[in-house]
Amino acid sequence: MAFETFPVAEEHVDGYATLLSERSRSDGLEVDTLDISEFKVDIRKDMNNPELTEFIAKDSTTGKIVAFIIWRYPTNHLYGLTIPRENFIEAFGDKSFIFIKELFVHEEHRRCGIGTQLMQHAIIAADQDNLRICLGSINEAGESLYTKLGFVKVYCHLEQVTYMVKHPQQKQSATVAISEVE
């Protein structure tokens, strides 16, 4: 199964809103046409939010958007998150991390490498800025993926919750051999 990944752009809004609607239905929520319009408004608002980054994956054969990832860059607050900031400080020591808000792959397209490919975008962004990556709400399949990508579990005593975190890759420093000249 071939797919491509892209940062979310205006041309993806309709397909992305449809996927969000399908995801909501699979979670047991009632979604109607009005909700899809609201998803589109939210997507456009998020596209203009410099704290958020969103990528989508599109099936190359059908053109259908089948997966997405959303992450938030560090700020002085954790807008939109239900986890109190002091609990992040306890678990991670400071706010120098990217927080994965959501990674979703449509059921029919799971176990095809799409989640890994989308996570690679976040890993590259985090490594470029020397940031850790943090995520919570881990299901069994997700834990397997994140462990494969180098994440480790971190327990937050205040929340009594386990998060997963990945530290940035160490930059390789060039070693120069110096020989003495006599």
Side-chain angles (χ1 to χ4, degrees):
M1 183 173 304
F3 63 92
E4 300 173 283
T5 60
F6 304 94
V8 174
E10 183 61 37
E11 66 200 56
H12 306 124
V13 171
D14 289 343
Y16 188 13
T18 300
L19 179 62
L20 289 172
S21 172
E22 290 174 10
R23 188 239 15 230
S24 296
R25 282 191 191 103
S26 72
D27 288 346
L29 302 174
E30 298 241 352
V31 180
D32 60 21
T33 308
L34 178 61
D35 293 325
I36 291 176
S37 297
E38 291 173 14
F39 285 137
K40 291 178 184 180
V41 168
D42 288 343
I43 292 166
R44 287 184 176 104
K45 185 170 48 170
D46 288 349
M47 286 170 39
N48 293 312
N49 183 344
E51 296 174 3
L52 286 180
T53 300
E54 298 180 75
F55 273 78
I56 52 96
K58 188 189 299 189
D59 182 315
S60 298
T61 305
T62 65
K64 182 178 177 182
I65 295 175
V66 297
F68 67 88
I69 186 170
I70 305 169
W71 71 83
R72 176 173 294 288
Y73 279 91
T75 62
N76 291 328
H77 61 286
L78 294 171
Y79 167 81
L81 306 178
T82 58
I83 304 160
R85 184 177 185 278
E86 60 273 9
N87 295 5
F88 270 88
I89 300 301
E90 181 216 346
F92 306 110
D94 59 26
K95 60 179 180 156
S96 60
F97 58 87
I98 287 175
F99 181 80
I100 304 295
K101 278 186 76 173
E102 187 169 4
L103 171 64
F104 175 80
V105 179
H106 192 278
E107 188 175 337
E108 295 172 8
H109 293 82
R110 292 181 185 157
R111 310 221 31 96
C112 297
I114 297 172
T116 299
Q117 183 65 38
L118 288 171
M119 282 299 299
Q120 287 299 330
H121 289 291
I123 290 168
I124 290 167
D127 286 348
Q128 286 175 343
D129 293 334
N130 200 34
L131 298 171
R132 290 168 287 169
I133 303 174
C134 164
L135 50 92
S137 302
I138 308 151
N139 59 31
E140 197 173 306
E143 184 175 338
S144 173
L145 167 67
Y146 303 130
T147 300
K148 181 179 80 173
L149 292 171
F151 285 77
V152 294
K153 289 182 178 181
V154 176
Y155 186 74
C156 176
H157 294 282
L158 289 173
E159 283 282 311
Q160 296 184 356
V161 171
T162 300
Y163 298 103
M164 293 192 83
V165 65
K166 181 178 186 337
H167 294 276
Q169 297 225 350
Q170 299 297 318
K171 305 247 188 282
Q172 299 293 331
S173 59
T175 306
V176 178
I178 301 174
S179 60
E180 290 185 30
V181 178
E182 298 188 309

